[in-house]
Amino acid sequence: MGIRSALKKELMNPDALGLMTADDVRSYLQKNLNRVKDKSAQQFNIIARFNAHHHKVQSGLPAQEATLVYERHRLFKEVLYPKAAVQKWLAQL
């Protein structure tokens, strides 16, 4: 993470609001999917699926994952995901 990204994240303070940035979601998925052994292909597919969803959301296109809700930060316009929504989405997969 670069200095600009770190500063931006510190100013947004998503942890206090129970929100996660896209980088946080990716690291959360990696940590939780590493517990399942011999599932590296599944891990790759889930992260790729999240990346495709995130790209569409950033572009203003309709989201492909209906259960993975998001919100935009009012000042930075960054796409943030509630932690509960990410956990629910991962449990459904």
Side-chain angles (χ1 to χ4, degrees):
M1 180 182 288
I3 187 76
R4 292 178 67 186
S5 299
L7 182 60
K8 188 176 179 181
K9 184 174 177 182
E10 186 176 329
L11 290 172
M12 286 191 305
N13 197 14
D15 297 330
L17 302 173
L19 299 172
M20 302 169 78
T21 64
D23 291 334
D24 293 338
V25 173
R26 288 181 195 100
S27 65
Y28 176 80
L29 292 174
Q30 284 181 330
K31 287 177 187 174
N32 285 323
L33 294 174
N34 277 341
R35 295 179 186 160
V36 181
K37 295 182 180 180
D38 300 328
K39 299 284 183 172
S40 61
Q42 179 186 8
Q43 178 181 356
F44 177 78
N45 288 337
I46 291 173
I47 293 174
R49 201 167 150 181
F50 169 76
N51 286 338
H53 168 79
H54 184 69
H55 178 69
K56 284 188 175 192
V57 167
Q58 279 186 318
S59 301
L61 298 172
Q64 68 186 36
E65 302 291 337
T67 58
L68 189 54
V69 295
Y70 66 93
E71 56 187 73
R72 291 194 184 270
H73 191 272
R74 291 190 321 197
L75 179 61
F76 295 105
K77 305 299 183 208
E78 183 82 20
V79 176
L80 301 171
Y81 299 91
K83 189 169 187 171
V86 173
Q87 292 169 341
K88 182 180 176 183
W89 177 72
L90 185 58
Q92 289 179 348
L93 299 178

